[in-house]
Amino acid sequence: MTSAEEIEHFFQVAKLLTLEAAEVIKDGINELKDIETKSSDKDLVTKYDKEVERLLFEKLSNEFPDHKFIGEETSSTNKEIPELTDAPTWIIDPIDGTTNFVHRFPQICISVALVINKRLEIGIIYNPCYDEMYTAKKGQGASLNGKSIRPSSTKELKKSLVNLETSALFTTSKTDIGLARFNAIIEVAHGVRTIGSAALALAFVARGIIDVFHMDGLKSWDVAAGCLILTEAGGTIIDTKGGIFNFMAPKVIAAANEVLAIETSKLIIETDLKTLRKRLKKN
Ligand code: IPD
Ligand code: CA
Ligand code: CA
Protein backbone atom coordinates (compact mmCIF):
# COMPACT_ATOMS: atom_id res chain seq x y z
CA MET A 1 0.00 0.00 0.00
CA THR A 2 1.15 3.52 -0.75
CA SER A 3 1.31 5.70 2.38
CA ALA A 4 -0.16 9.19 2.70
CA GLU A 5 3.41 10.54 3.01
CA GLU A 6 4.40 8.93 -0.29
CA ILE A 7 1.31 10.37 -2.03
CA GLU A 8 2.17 13.80 -0.61
CA HIS A 9 5.70 13.47 -1.96
CA PHE A 10 4.45 12.42 -5.44
CA PHE A 11 2.05 15.38 -5.35
CA GLN A 12 4.68 17.98 -4.41
CA VAL A 13 7.10 16.73 -7.08
CA ALA A 14 4.40 16.65 -9.76
CA LYS A 15 3.23 20.17 -8.89
CA LEU A 16 6.76 21.58 -9.22
CA LEU A 17 7.38 19.73 -12.49
CA THR A 18 4.05 20.93 -13.89
CA LEU A 19 5.06 24.53 -13.16
CA GLU A 20 8.46 23.91 -14.78
CA ALA A 21 6.86 22.36 -17.88
CA ALA A 22 4.42 25.28 -18.09
CA GLU A 23 7.37 27.56 -18.93
CA VAL A 24 7.52 25.76 -22.31
CA ILE A 25 3.90 26.80 -22.97
CA LYS A 26 4.55 30.37 -21.79
CA ASP A 27 7.54 30.59 -24.17
CA GLY A 28 5.47 29.26 -27.07
CA ILE A 29 2.10 30.94 -26.70
CA ASN A 30 2.91 34.09 -28.66
CA GLU A 31 5.16 32.40 -31.23
CA LEU A 32 4.05 31.56 -34.74
CA LYS A 33 3.83 27.77 -34.55
CA ASP A 34 4.54 25.00 -37.02
CA ILE A 35 1.42 22.89 -36.80
CA GLU A 36 1.28 19.19 -37.52
CA THR A 37 -1.95 17.23 -37.76
CA LYS A 38 -2.65 13.77 -36.33
CA SER A 39 -5.90 11.80 -36.82
CA SER A 40 -7.60 14.59 -38.85
CA ASP A 41 -7.10 18.15 -40.14
CA LYS A 42 -8.58 19.42 -36.87
CA ASP A 43 -6.42 17.25 -34.56
CA LEU A 44 -3.42 19.55 -34.04
CA VAL A 45 -0.02 19.11 -32.39
CA THR A 46 3.00 21.38 -32.02
CA LYS A 47 6.58 20.92 -30.87
CA TYR A 48 5.47 22.46 -27.55
CA ASP A 49 2.99 19.63 -26.83
CA LYS A 50 5.79 17.11 -27.43
CA GLU A 51 8.31 19.04 -25.35
CA VAL A 52 5.99 19.41 -22.33
CA GLU A 53 5.27 15.65 -22.39
CA ARG A 54 8.95 14.74 -22.85
CA LEU A 55 9.98 16.96 -19.95
CA LEU A 56 7.32 15.56 -17.59
CA PHE A 57 8.01 11.93 -18.56
CA GLU A 58 11.77 12.33 -18.21
CA LYS A 59 11.75 14.18 -14.89
CA LEU A 60 9.00 12.10 -13.28
CA SER A 61 10.74 8.86 -14.28
CA ASN A 62 14.06 10.14 -12.88
CA GLU A 63 12.27 10.74 -9.56
CA PHE A 64 10.10 7.61 -9.64
CA PRO A 65 11.79 4.96 -11.84
CA ASP A 66 9.14 2.28 -11.18
CA HIS A 67 6.19 4.48 -12.21
CA LYS A 68 4.47 4.05 -15.58
CA PHE A 69 3.11 6.65 -18.01
CA ILE A 70 0.19 7.18 -20.32
CA GLY A 71 0.60 10.37 -22.35
CA GLU A 72 -1.23 11.73 -25.37
CA GLU A 73 1.74 12.44 -27.60
CA THR A 74 3.72 9.27 -26.79
CA SER A 75 0.58 7.19 -27.41
CA SER A 76 0.02 9.02 -30.65
CA THR A 77 3.64 8.44 -31.84
CA ASN A 78 3.57 4.75 -30.81
CA LYS A 79 0.02 4.36 -32.19
CA GLU A 80 -0.81 2.50 -29.00
CA ILE A 81 -2.23 3.48 -25.61
CA PRO A 82 -0.51 1.54 -22.81
CA GLU A 83 -2.80 -0.69 -20.77
CA LEU A 84 -3.56 0.58 -17.25
CA THR A 85 -2.11 -1.78 -14.61
CA ASP A 86 -2.07 -1.63 -10.79
CA ALA A 87 1.35 0.09 -10.88
CA PRO A 88 1.51 3.83 -10.13
CA THR A 89 0.76 5.45 -13.50
CA TRP A 90 0.94 9.09 -14.50
CA ILE A 91 -1.73 10.04 -17.05
CA ILE A 92 -0.70 13.23 -18.83
CA ASP A 93 -2.13 15.61 -21.38
CA PRO A 94 0.79 17.99 -22.03
CA ILE A 95 -1.44 20.67 -23.55
CA ASP A 96 -5.19 20.28 -23.31
CA GLY A 97 -6.57 22.89 -25.68
CA THR A 98 -3.93 22.69 -28.42
CA THR A 99 -6.24 24.43 -30.89
CA ASN A 100 -6.62 27.28 -28.37
CA PHE A 101 -2.83 27.32 -27.91
CA VAL A 102 -2.26 27.58 -31.67
CA HIS A 103 -4.69 30.52 -31.84
CA ARG A 104 -3.43 32.14 -28.60
CA PHE A 105 -6.88 31.72 -26.99
CA PRO A 106 -5.92 31.54 -23.32
CA GLN A 107 -7.90 28.45 -22.20
CA ILE A 108 -5.01 26.00 -22.13
CA CYS A 109 -3.75 23.63 -19.47
CA ILE A 110 -1.40 20.85 -18.51
CA SER A 111 -3.32 17.93 -17.03
CA VAL A 112 -1.51 15.45 -14.78
CA ALA A 113 -3.08 12.58 -12.84
CA LEU A 114 -1.61 9.77 -10.78
CA VAL A 115 -3.46 6.45 -10.67
CA ILE A 116 -2.47 3.67 -8.23
CA ASN A 117 -4.25 0.29 -8.22
CA LYS A 118 -6.47 1.76 -10.97
CA ARG A 119 -7.72 4.42 -8.53
CA LEU A 120 -7.20 8.15 -9.08
CA GLU A 121 -5.00 9.52 -6.28
CA ILE A 122 -3.74 12.89 -7.57
CA GLY A 123 -5.11 15.42 -10.05
CA ILE A 124 -3.33 18.59 -11.20
CA ILE A 125 -4.59 20.98 -13.87
CA TYR A 126 -2.59 24.14 -14.54
CA ASN A 127 -3.49 27.01 -16.88
CA PRO A 128 -0.28 29.05 -17.34
CA CYS A 129 -2.15 31.90 -19.06
CA TYR A 130 -3.99 32.81 -15.84
CA ASP A 131 -1.60 31.13 -13.39
CA GLU A 132 -4.48 28.94 -12.17
CA MET A 133 -3.63 25.62 -10.57
CA TYR A 134 -6.42 23.19 -9.67
CA THR A 135 -5.36 20.30 -7.43
CA ALA A 136 -6.88 17.32 -5.66
CA LYS A 137 -5.77 14.33 -3.65
CA LYS A 138 -8.13 11.42 -3.04
CA GLY A 139 -10.19 12.03 0.11
CA GLN A 140 -8.79 15.51 0.71
CA GLY A 141 -10.97 17.89 -1.31
CA ALA A 142 -9.99 20.09 -4.24
CA SER A 143 -8.54 23.56 -4.51
CA LEU A 144 -7.69 26.37 -6.89
CA ASN A 145 -4.37 28.06 -6.08
CA GLY A 146 -4.61 26.57 -2.57
CA LYS A 147 -8.19 27.72 -1.85
CA SER A 148 -10.90 25.10 -1.47
CA ILE A 149 -13.43 24.93 -4.36
CA ARG A 150 -17.05 23.73 -4.60
CA PRO A 151 -19.42 23.25 -7.54
CA SER A 152 -22.50 25.47 -7.93
CA SER A 153 -25.79 24.69 -6.17
CA THR A 154 -27.78 24.70 -9.44
CA LYS A 155 -30.16 21.74 -9.60
CA GLU A 156 -32.01 22.31 -12.90
CA LEU A 157 -30.72 22.21 -16.45
CA LYS A 158 -32.97 25.17 -17.31
CA LYS A 159 -30.93 27.28 -14.85
CA SER A 160 -27.54 25.93 -15.96
CA LEU A 161 -24.57 27.17 -17.93
CA VAL A 162 -23.39 24.17 -19.93
CA ASN A 163 -20.08 23.46 -21.67
CA LEU A 164 -20.28 21.36 -24.84
CA GLU A 165 -17.34 20.70 -27.14
CA THR A 166 -17.67 20.71 -30.92
CA SER A 167 -14.92 18.22 -31.81
CA ALA A 168 -17.29 15.27 -31.26
CA LEU A 169 -19.50 16.62 -34.05
CA PHE A 170 -16.97 15.87 -36.77
CA THR A 171 -17.15 12.08 -36.51
CA THR A 172 -19.35 11.83 -39.58
CA SER A 173 -21.20 8.73 -38.41
CA LYS A 174 -22.30 10.63 -35.30
CA THR A 175 -22.82 14.22 -36.48
CA ASP A 176 -26.63 13.94 -36.35
CA ILE A 177 -26.46 12.54 -32.79
CA GLY A 178 -24.09 15.30 -31.65
CA LEU A 179 -26.02 18.16 -33.27
CA ALA A 180 -29.33 16.93 -31.86
CA ARG A 181 -27.78 16.79 -28.37
CA PHE A 182 -26.48 20.36 -28.84
CA ASN A 183 -29.95 21.57 -29.94
CA ALA A 184 -31.72 19.84 -27.08
CA ILE A 185 -29.39 21.34 -24.49
CA ILE A 186 -29.36 24.83 -26.08
CA GLU A 187 -33.20 24.82 -25.97
CA VAL A 188 -33.30 24.10 -22.24
CA ALA A 189 -30.20 25.65 -20.64
CA HIS A 190 -29.47 29.27 -19.67
CA GLY A 191 -26.53 29.16 -22.08
CA VAL A 192 -23.97 26.96 -23.80
CA ARG A 193 -20.21 27.58 -23.99
CA THR A 194 -17.41 25.79 -25.84
CA ILE A 195 -14.09 26.50 -24.16
CA GLY A 196 -11.92 24.04 -26.10
CA SER A 197 -10.37 22.18 -23.18
CA ALA A 198 -12.12 19.21 -21.62
CA ALA A 199 -9.79 19.27 -18.61
CA LEU A 200 -10.55 22.94 -17.89
CA ALA A 201 -14.28 22.30 -18.43
CA LEU A 202 -14.14 19.73 -15.61
CA ALA A 203 -12.21 22.17 -13.43
CA PHE A 204 -14.82 24.86 -14.18
CA VAL A 205 -17.62 22.55 -12.98
CA ALA A 206 -15.55 21.82 -9.86
CA ARG A 207 -15.12 25.56 -9.31
CA GLY A 208 -18.83 26.34 -9.82
CA ILE A 209 -18.57 28.58 -12.91
CA ILE A 210 -20.01 25.94 -15.28
CA ASP A 211 -22.88 23.73 -14.08
CA VAL A 212 -22.70 20.87 -16.59
CA PHE A 213 -20.11 19.57 -19.06
CA HIS A 214 -20.90 16.87 -21.60
CA MET A 215 -18.74 15.23 -24.22
CA ASP A 216 -18.23 11.71 -25.61
CA GLY A 217 -15.18 10.29 -27.37
CA LEU A 218 -12.55 11.70 -25.02
CA LYS A 219 -9.39 9.94 -23.85
CA SER A 220 -8.08 9.19 -20.35
CA TRP A 221 -5.55 12.08 -20.50
CA ASP A 222 -8.37 14.60 -21.17
CA VAL A 223 -10.31 13.67 -18.04
CA ALA A 224 -8.23 11.80 -15.43
CA ALA A 225 -7.06 14.82 -13.41
CA GLY A 226 -10.34 16.72 -13.90
CA CYS A 227 -12.42 13.74 -12.78
CA LEU A 228 -10.65 13.62 -9.39
CA ILE A 229 -10.71 17.41 -8.99
CA LEU A 230 -14.45 17.49 -9.70
CA THR A 231 -15.42 14.61 -7.41
CA GLU A 232 -13.17 15.86 -4.61
CA ALA A 233 -14.80 19.29 -4.95
CA GLY A 234 -18.17 17.57 -4.36
CA GLY A 235 -19.39 17.31 -7.97
CA THR A 236 -20.63 14.30 -9.94
CA ILE A 237 -19.33 12.59 -13.04
CA ILE A 238 -21.27 9.81 -14.73
CA ASP A 239 -21.26 8.02 -18.05
CA THR A 240 -23.36 9.82 -20.69
CA LYS A 241 -25.90 7.00 -20.63
CA GLY A 242 -26.16 7.14 -16.85
CA GLY A 243 -23.78 4.37 -15.68
CA ILE A 244 -20.56 4.51 -13.69
CA PHE A 245 -17.93 6.76 -15.24
CA ASN A 246 -14.86 5.01 -16.67
CA PHE A 247 -11.93 7.43 -16.97
CA MET A 248 -10.14 5.02 -19.35
CA ALA A 249 -13.03 5.16 -21.89
CA PRO A 250 -14.64 8.47 -21.05
CA LYS A 251 -18.14 9.46 -22.10
CA VAL A 252 -18.72 12.38 -19.82
CA ILE A 253 -21.57 14.01 -18.03
CA ALA A 254 -19.95 16.14 -15.34
CA ALA A 255 -22.27 18.18 -13.18
CA ALA A 256 -22.46 20.21 -10.00
CA ASN A 257 -24.55 17.42 -8.46
CA GLU A 258 -26.25 14.09 -9.18
CA VAL A 259 -29.70 15.59 -9.85
CA LEU A 260 -28.32 17.72 -12.67
CA ALA A 261 -26.22 14.87 -14.07
CA ILE A 262 -29.22 12.54 -14.22
CA GLU A 263 -31.48 15.18 -15.82
CA THR A 264 -28.83 15.77 -18.52
CA SER A 265 -28.33 12.06 -19.10
CA LYS A 266 -32.10 11.49 -19.49
CA LEU A 267 -32.36 14.35 -21.98
CA ILE A 268 -29.49 12.88 -24.02
CA ILE A 269 -30.99 9.38 -24.00
CA GLU A 270 -34.41 10.72 -25.17
CA THR A 271 -32.74 12.90 -27.82
CA ASP A 272 -30.64 10.01 -29.16
CA LEU A 273 -33.79 7.85 -29.48
CA LYS A 274 -35.47 10.56 -31.56
CA THR A 275 -32.36 10.87 -33.75
CA LEU A 276 -32.20 7.11 -34.30
CA ARG A 277 -35.91 7.02 -35.21
CA LYS A 278 -35.28 9.79 -37.77
CA ARG A 279 -32.40 7.75 -39.23
CA LEU A 280 -34.66 4.71 -39.58
CA LYS A 281 -37.36 6.77 -41.32
CA LYS A 282 -34.80 8.08 -43.84
CA ASN A 283 -33.58 4.56 -44.79
C1 IPD B 1 -8.99 18.38 -26.93
C2 IPD B 1 -9.72 19.27 -25.95
C3 IPD B 1 -11.09 19.64 -26.49
C4 IPD B 1 -11.89 18.42 -26.84
C5 IPD B 1 -11.09 17.54 -27.80
C6 IPD B 1 -9.76 17.15 -27.19
P1 IPD B 1 -6.31 18.45 -27.11
O1 IPD B 1 -7.73 18.00 -26.43
O2 IPD B 1 -9.89 18.65 -24.70
O3 IPD B 1 -11.83 20.36 -25.55
O4 IPD B 1 -13.07 18.85 -27.45
O5 IPD B 1 -11.79 16.41 -28.14
O6 IPD B 1 -9.06 16.31 -28.07
O7 IPD B 1 -6.28 17.82 -28.47
O8 IPD B 1 -6.31 19.92 -27.16
O9 IPD B 1 -5.36 17.83 -26.16
CA1 CA C 1 -3.25 17.49 -25.80
CA1 CA D 1 -6.70 16.75 -24.65
Side-chain angles (χ1 to χ4, degrees), residues 115-229:
V115 180
I116 304 177
N117 291 323
K118 302 196 175 78
R119 196 175 92 140
L120 286 160
E121 293 288 350
I122 290 173
I124 298 171
I125 290 177
Y126 181 59
N127 180 350
C129 305
Y130 295 121
D131 193 20
E132 288 180 335
M133 180 173 276
Y134 302 83
T135 54
K137 276 171 278 170
K138 182 80 191 162
Q140 295 185 45
S143 31
L144 164 57
N145 292 345
K147 283 196 181 146
S148 177
I149 48 173
R150 299 276 313 156
S152 75
S153 54
T154 310
K155 291 228 165 58
E156 290 170 90
L157 197 52
K158 70 174 188 200
K159 292 183 180 157
S160 293
L161 188 62
V162 180
N163 190 84
L164 298 173
E165 293 293 303
T166 53
S167 41
L169 300 176
F170 302 115
T171 348
T172 41
S173 63
K174 291 193 178 149
T175 306
D176 56 347
I177 299 260
L179 282 175
R181 289 181 185 182
F182 256 68
N183 280 333
I185 292 171
I186 287 168
E187 262 180 41
V188 179
H190 264 176
V192 168
R193 302 288 178 266
T194 299
I195 62 164
S197 160
L200 282 177
L202 290 167
F204 285 4
V205 181
R207 179 184 172 176
I209 59 173
I210 287 281
D211 304 297
V212 179
F213 164 51
H214 159 61
M215 186 176 167
D216 284 356
L218 288 165
K219 295 288 197 303
S220 60
W221 46 78
D222 299 307
V223 301
C227 174
L228 187 68
I229 290 166

Side-chain angles (χ1 to χ4, degrees), residues 43 72 93 95-99 165 167 196-199 215 218 222:
D43 186 8
E72 176 174 19
D93 193 335
I95 302 182
D96 190 53
T98 297
T99 308
E165 293 293 303
S167 41
S197 160
M215 186 176 167
L218 288 165
D222 299 307

Side-chain angles (χ1 to χ4, degrees), residues 202 223 226-227 230-231 235-239 243-245 252-255 261:
L202 290 167
V223 301
C227 174
L230 174 63
T231 50
T236 301
I237 188 162
I238 59 173
D239 180 85
I244 290 170
F245 180 69
V252 178
I253 290 180

